[in-house]
Short mmCIF file of all heavy atoms in Angstrom, two decimals:
data_model
loop_
_atom_site.label_atom_id
_atom_site.label_comp_id
_atom_site.label_asym_id
_atom_site.label_seq_id
_atom_site.Cartn_x
_atom_site.Cartn_y
_atom_site.Cartn_z
N SER A 14 -21.47 13.91 -2.50
CA SER A 14 -22.47 14.90 -2.93
C SER A 14 -21.93 16.29 -2.58
O SER A 14 -20.72 16.47 -2.43
CB SER A 14 -23.79 14.55 -2.24
OG SER A 14 -24.77 15.50 -2.51
N ALA A 16 -21.87 18.33 0.07
CA ALA A 16 -21.07 18.55 1.29
C ALA A 16 -19.72 17.86 1.16
O ALA A 16 -18.67 18.42 1.52
CB ALA A 16 -21.83 18.06 2.52
N GLU A 35 -17.88 7.02 -2.72
CA GLU A 35 -19.27 7.29 -3.12
C GLU A 35 -19.87 6.03 -3.74
O GLU A 35 -19.24 5.40 -4.58
CB GLU A 35 -19.28 8.47 -4.11
CG GLU A 35 -20.55 8.68 -4.87
CD GLU A 35 -21.79 8.92 -4.00
OE1 GLU A 35 -21.72 9.74 -3.07
OE2 GLU A 35 -22.81 8.26 -4.25
N ARG A 36 -21.11 5.72 -3.34
CA ARG A 36 -21.71 4.48 -3.85
C ARG A 36 -22.15 4.57 -5.31
O ARG A 36 -22.10 3.60 -6.04
CB ARG A 36 -22.88 4.04 -2.98
CG ARG A 36 -24.01 5.03 -2.88
CD ARG A 36 -25.30 4.29 -2.52
NE ARG A 36 -25.27 3.73 -1.18
CZ ARG A 36 -26.01 4.17 -0.16
NH1 ARG A 36 -26.81 5.20 -0.33
NH2 ARG A 36 -25.96 3.59 1.00
N ARG A 57 -29.17 11.18 -10.05
CA ARG A 57 -28.55 9.90 -9.68
C ARG A 57 -29.22 9.32 -8.43
O ARG A 57 -29.87 10.04 -7.67
CB ARG A 57 -27.05 10.06 -9.49
CG ARG A 57 -26.64 11.03 -8.39
CD ARG A 57 -25.13 11.16 -8.40
NE ARG A 57 -24.62 12.07 -7.39
CZ ARG A 57 -24.29 11.69 -6.17
NH1 ARG A 57 -24.46 10.45 -5.76
NH2 ARG A 57 -23.80 12.57 -5.32
N GLN A 62 -33.19 13.70 -4.39
CA GLN A 62 -33.76 15.05 -4.30
C GLN A 62 -33.31 15.93 -5.47
O GLN A 62 -33.84 17.02 -5.68
CB GLN A 62 -33.42 15.71 -2.95
CG GLN A 62 -31.98 16.16 -2.76
CD GLN A 62 -31.09 15.12 -2.12
OE1 GLN A 62 -31.28 13.92 -2.32
NE2 GLN A 62 -30.09 15.56 -1.35
N HIS A 67 -33.46 23.15 -6.75
CA HIS A 67 -32.36 23.42 -5.83
C HIS A 67 -31.82 24.82 -6.09
O HIS A 67 -31.12 25.04 -7.08
CB HIS A 67 -31.23 22.41 -6.01
CG HIS A 67 -31.32 21.24 -5.10
ND1 HIS A 67 -32.31 20.29 -5.21
CD2 HIS A 67 -30.56 20.86 -4.04
CE1 HIS A 67 -32.14 19.38 -4.26
NE2 HIS A 67 -31.08 19.70 -3.53
N GLY A 68 -32.14 25.74 -5.21
CA GLY A 68 -31.60 27.09 -5.33
C GLY A 68 -30.36 27.21 -4.45
O GLY A 68 -30.26 26.56 -3.42
N ARG A 125 -30.10 20.67 -10.17
CA ARG A 125 -29.13 20.22 -9.17
C ARG A 125 -28.05 19.31 -9.78
O ARG A 125 -26.86 19.49 -9.50
CB ARG A 125 -29.90 19.54 -8.03
CG ARG A 125 -29.13 18.61 -7.15
CD ARG A 125 -28.11 19.35 -6.31
NE ARG A 125 -27.18 18.40 -5.75
CZ ARG A 125 -27.12 18.07 -4.48
NH1 ARG A 125 -27.92 18.63 -3.61
NH2 ARG A 125 -26.24 17.21 -4.03
N ILE A 150 -19.73 2.47 1.66
CA ILE A 150 -19.04 2.66 2.93
C ILE A 150 -19.64 1.65 3.90
O ILE A 150 -20.86 1.63 4.11
CB ILE A 150 -19.28 4.09 3.46
CG1 ILE A 150 -18.69 5.10 2.47
CG2 ILE A 150 -18.70 4.26 4.85
CD1 ILE A 150 -19.54 6.33 2.32
N ASP A 328 -25.75 17.53 5.48
CA ASP A 328 -27.02 17.03 5.99
C ASP A 328 -26.82 16.00 7.10
O ASP A 328 -27.72 15.78 7.91
CB ASP A 328 -27.83 16.37 4.86
CG ASP A 328 -28.49 17.39 3.94
OD1 ASP A 328 -28.08 18.57 3.96
OD2 ASP A 328 -29.42 17.02 3.20
N GLY A 340 -29.60 23.96 2.46
CA GLY A 340 -28.65 22.86 2.71
C GLY A 340 -27.30 23.00 2.02
O GLY A 340 -26.26 22.86 2.65
N MET A 341 -27.31 23.28 0.72
CA MET A 341 -26.03 23.34 -0.01
C MET A 341 -25.21 24.55 0.46
O MET A 341 -23.99 24.48 0.53
CB MET A 341 -26.29 23.46 -1.52
CG MET A 341 -26.97 22.28 -2.14
SD MET A 341 -26.97 22.36 -3.95
CE MET A 341 -27.92 23.82 -4.30
C1 FAD B 1 -36.64 17.94 -1.96
C2 FAD B 1 -35.38 18.67 -1.56
C3 FAD B 1 -35.11 19.92 -2.08
C4 FAD B 1 -33.97 20.61 -1.69
N1 FAD B 1 -33.76 21.87 -2.16
C5 FAD B 1 -32.64 22.53 -1.80
C6 FAD B 1 -32.39 23.84 -2.28
O1 FAD B 1 -33.22 24.46 -2.97
N2 FAD B 1 -31.22 24.44 -1.93
C7 FAD B 1 -30.31 23.81 -1.12
O2 FAD B 1 -29.26 24.39 -0.83
N3 FAD B 1 -30.53 22.59 -0.63
C8 FAD B 1 -31.66 21.93 -0.95
N4 FAD B 1 -31.87 20.67 -0.46
C9 FAD B 1 -30.85 20.07 0.44
C10 FAD B 1 -29.67 19.52 -0.37
O3 FAD B 1 -30.11 18.52 -1.25
C11 FAD B 1 -28.58 18.99 0.58
O4 FAD B 1 -28.42 19.87 1.65
C12 FAD B 1 -27.26 18.84 -0.17
O5 FAD B 1 -27.33 17.83 -1.12
C13 FAD B 1 -26.07 18.54 0.75
O6 FAD B 1 -26.26 17.30 1.27
P1 FAD B 1 -25.08 16.29 1.61
O7 FAD B 1 -23.99 16.35 0.62
O8 FAD B 1 -24.77 16.49 3.04
O9 FAD B 1 -25.85 14.89 1.51
P2 FAD B 1 -26.56 14.22 0.28
O10 FAD B 1 -26.80 15.17 -0.80
O11 FAD B 1 -27.71 13.45 0.81
O12 FAD B 1 -25.46 13.18 -0.25
C14 FAD B 1 -25.01 12.07 0.46
C15 FAD B 1 -24.05 11.30 -0.46
O13 FAD B 1 -23.50 10.21 0.26
C16 FAD B 1 -23.60 9.03 -0.54
N5 FAD B 1 -23.75 7.91 0.40
C17 FAD B 1 -24.64 7.81 1.42
N6 FAD B 1 -24.47 6.64 2.08
C18 FAD B 1 -23.46 6.00 1.46
C19 FAD B 1 -22.83 4.73 1.67
N7 FAD B 1 -23.18 3.90 2.66
N8 FAD B 1 -21.82 4.38 0.84
C20 FAD B 1 -21.44 5.21 -0.17
N9 FAD B 1 -21.99 6.42 -0.41
C21 FAD B 1 -22.99 6.79 0.39
C22 FAD B 1 -24.85 9.26 -1.40
O14 FAD B 1 -24.85 8.47 -2.56
C23 FAD B 1 -24.74 10.75 -1.70
O15 FAD B 1 -23.93 11.00 -2.82
C24 FAD B 1 -33.04 19.99 -0.78
C25 FAD B 1 -33.31 18.73 -0.26
C26 FAD B 1 -34.48 18.09 -0.62
C27 FAD B 1 -34.77 16.76 0.01
#
Side-chain angles (χ1 to χ4, degrees):
S14 176
E35 166 59 48
R36 60 156 68 110
R57 61 184 180 90
Q62 73 268 33
H67 266 68
R125 160 67 195 251
I150 298 142
D328 283 18
M341 296 190 297

